[in-house]
Amino acid sequence: MVVLAIDAGTTGVTALLVTENGQIISKGYEEFAQHFPEPGRVEHNPEDIWQATLSACATALRGAAQPPSCVGITNQRETAVLWDRRTLAAPRRAIVWQDRRTAGLCGRLREAGHEPRVSELTGLRLDPYFTATKLTWLAENDPQVWEGVESGNVAIGTVDSYLIARLTAGARHVTDPSNASRTLLYGLASGTWEPELCELFGVPREALPEIVPNYGPIGRTEPSAFLGLDVPISGVAGDQQAALFGQTCFDVGDVKCTYGTGSFVLTNLGGEIVRSESGLLTTVAWQTPSGERTFALEGSIFVTGAAVQWLRDGLGVIGTAPESEAVARTVPDSGGVVFVPALTGLGAPHWDPQARGLITGITRGTTRAHLVRATLEAIAFEVRDVVGSMTGGSVPVLKADGGASANDLLMQLQADQLGAAVERPAIQETTALGAAFLAGLGAGVWGSRAELRKTWHLDRRFEPGERDDAAYERWRAAVRLATAGTHGS
């Protein structure tokens, strides 16, 4: 049996076919367009996401000898998508998780004293990152579309909900707890949409999807809509929770970091809701069909891999992202250069949407290699900040995945900065793998998590070496500069 995993990310859709022993036998990938209508605004055309999904899946399926036995979905989280319930057409572009247009709205709600209660209910904070303020903005700024929401003709959801609607030809309007818990509308304690939050943000509860467990019978694909396939959709999770599952971080205290456009550090909390006092988010990791929920603490870093992309596309100092390692290795250190990549504000543990990027320590002797190395160091420093807030500074091992985890120098810098081993799995597509694992559990491909753990194989373990604490202190000083400048204006 094989499982089809759909990973609908921020810049493209990956489709994998995964075997019972956890091996990838076929893959498809399709990028889709990014839209930046104004500074700080990021949008996607939902139809583009759907067409990329069809294309990626068709490519993956061409490489398979047999059809999949089930489908799993994972997705960019927090992005607000609206679609017509009857035609499934989107009346406007989706507002992406990176979008910062609601910073002022968040400020107003904070000044009105709402943040403590919102945090108490959701485990989150008032930040443009999350879905609910995007919906409030739509209600205030796109009344024609919002009229469709209030009349019941237009559905609201995150990318998982939209894809399931398309896969089932509109038969299912559902989400799962891992995605729901990123919206500012889901109660951690209640496990459902909170009427109090729906009222605060002005979101009609009946427009929201039904919340279903992360694996089990979720829906069934409609052949006329989805490449002729009639198979169960049996797993779904937000991308970071899916990566936690794909890394088989099933025990309390297990920690993983996904190095992608941003970086996301999650630790398994088990069944206990633990609230952070240091800028981390409490979120649902997954829920079983019996209703048992596992929670996670999360540190969301908005710009890591995107900083390397900026070196490539914005400055032209490297030709490709992988080239960053070779260039950075030509110098022994950053030469005192520090880069704070607050290109879309700062996430955990600082949470300053107004912070802007900063490069300090430049001298006449500074070269592009120093800047590239400072960029890799910044990623390691950002993750150290989060892990320190999450665990009190110590972690036995960090499981690493995502595109930038292929960078051996970055992984070694990370191990050095954490003073802990970093383990990279043989399969680094752990987000899609997590979706496959959930779907396979839900459809009986695998019988237990113990079976899944046997499919995880180590590629390389990076042992910690000497830690450059002086460089880390320079980093902390630069972060203070990057945030102080915004508060005085």
Side-chain angles (χ1 to χ4, degrees):
M1 289 189 286
V2 296
V3 179
L4 173 62
I6 299 170
D7 180 359
T10 305
T11 56
V13 179
T14 301
L16 302 181
L17 283 172
V18 180
T19 66
E20 290 173 73
N21 62 359
Q23 297 303 301
I24 296 169
I25 57 168
S26 186
K27 178 178 178 178
Y29 178 73
E30 187 73 33
E31 286 192 3
F32 53 80
Q34 310 289 303
H35 300 277
F36 308 98
E38 292 180 30
R41 297 190 179 187
V42 189
E43 297 181 346
H44 292 154
N45 184 337
E47 185 65 30
D48 290 347
I49 299 174
W50 175 238
Q51 292 302 323
T53 300
L54 291 174
S55 176
C57 289
T59 300
L61 291 166
R62 278 198 293 272
Q66 62 187 107
S69 56
C70 58
V71 177
I73 296 166
T74 184
N75 56 286
Q76 54 162 309
R77 304 171 303 171
E78 297 97 12
T79 295
V81 192
L82 283 70
W83 64 95
D84 186 287
R85 290 180 187 270
R86 186 176 55 83
T87 67
L88 306 183
R92 60 157 291 125
R93 291 201 292 237
I95 303 180
V96 177
W97 62 273
Q98 297 165 313
D99 191 286
R100 310 306 285 170
R101 76 184 66 184
T102 65
L105 175 61
C106 291
R108 292 201 305 272
L109 289 166
R110 200 174 293 114
E111 287 164 16
H114 291 297
E115 184 157 57
R117 180 60 174 160
V118 169
S119 295
E120 178 190 347
L121 289 170
T122 66
L124 309 177
R125 56 196 299 126
L126 285 170
D127 188 87
Y129 180 29
F130 305 110
T131 320
T133 61
K134 305 178 197 302
L135 299 173
T136 307
W137 186 92
L138 286 171
E140 293 177 355
N141 293 276
D142 201 339
Q144 187 174 350
V145 166
W146 202 253
E147 186 181 334
V149 173
E150 293 187 327
S151 70
N153 295 325
V154 172
I156 292 171
T158 39
V159 171
D160 58 307
S161 304
Y162 171 70
L163 286 181
I164 292 169
R166 298 302 302 255
L167 289 164
T168 63
R172 298 289 281 155
H173 184 212
V174 298
T175 189
D176 74 277
S178 71
N179 276 295
S181 68
R182 311 296 297 183
T183 61
L184 285 176
L185 298 169
Y186 173 94
L188 279 184
S190 67
T192 188
W193 303 121
E194 287 283 354
E196 181 181 342
L197 294 170
C198 290
E199 184 177 352
L200 175 65
F201 293 104
V203 177
R205 193 176 179 188
E206 56 275 11
L208 294 167
E210 175 192 354
I211 302 171
V212 299
N214 288 83
Y215 59 95
I218 293 166
R220 197 164 187 93
T221 62
E222 167 56 48
S224 63
F226 185 56
L227 307 172
L229 291 176
D230 177 12
V231 292
I233 303 166
S234 50
V236 60
D239 52 11
Q240 301 314 316
Q241 294 96 325
L244 192 70
F245 205 84
Q247 285 275 32
T248 67
C249 290
F250 301 146
D251 295 334
V252 176
D254 285 351
V255 184
K256 73 89 195 173
C257 179
T258 298
Y259 296 82
T261 304
S263 287
F264 299 85
V265 186
L266 274 75
T267 185
N268 186 322
L269 296 174
E272 185 182 358
I273 299 173
V274 177
R275 299 181 184 277
S276 169
E277 298 296 321
S278 51
L280 303 180
L281 309 172
T282 308
T283 196
V284 177
W286 49 77
Q287 180 178 322
T288 68
S290 67
E292 179 189 358
R293 290 182 298 164
T294 294
F295 297 93
L297 265 186
E298 175 174 327
S300 310
I301 305 166
F302 295 151
V303 173
T304 52
V308 177
Q309 292 168 344
W310 176 70
L311 293 180
R312 181 193 67 194
D313 302 334
L315 297 186
V317 299
I318 54 174
T320 65
E323 188 187 327
S324 62
E325 179 176 355
V327 173
R329 284 190 184 277
T330 64
V331 289
D333 53 47
S334 68
V337 175
V338 182
F339 176 28
V340 181
L343 307 182
T344 57
L346 281 172
H350 311 287
W351 293 105
D352 187 346
Q354 304 303 328
R356 290 295 175 262
L358 181 73
I359 302 171
T360 67
I362 300 171
T363 68
R364 182 64 184 83
T366 298
T367 68
R368 72 175 183 130
H370 292 115
L371 178 57
V372 173
R373 188 162 183 122
T375 304
L376 299 184
E377 288 181 354
I379 297 171
F381 293 150
E382 287 182 295
V383 172
R384 178 178 169 179
D385 282 347
V386 168
V387 171
S389 299
M390 184 176 280
T391 68
S394 63
V395 60
V397 64
L398 178 79
K399 287 190 170 182
D401 58 75
S405 70
N407 187 314
D408 288 351
L409 176 58
L410 173 59
M411 294 297 96
Q412 187 59 56
L413 288 169
Q414 192 67 80
D416 296 346
Q417 280 298 317
L418 292 178
V422 173
E423 290 186 349
R424 183 174 65 200
I427 295 176
Q428 288 156 46
E429 299 266 18
T430 51
T431 302
L433 198 61
F437 284 174
L438 287 164
L441 268 185
V445 176
W446 294 286
S448 68
R449 293 180 195 172
E451 280 185 40
L452 292 174
R453 209 187 283 276
K454 291 175 186 173
T455 70
W456 191 95
H457 299 291
L458 180 70
D459 169 52
R460 184 169 170 186
R461 181 180 168 101
F462 297 84
E463 297 290 351
E466 186 178 349
R467 182 157 79 180
D468 189 347
D469 282 322
Y472 181 63
E473 288 307 316
R474 287 194 295 272
W475 157 261
R476 288 169 63 89
V479 169
R480 288 192 290 272
L481 283 174
T483 54
T486 65
H487 299 147
S489 57

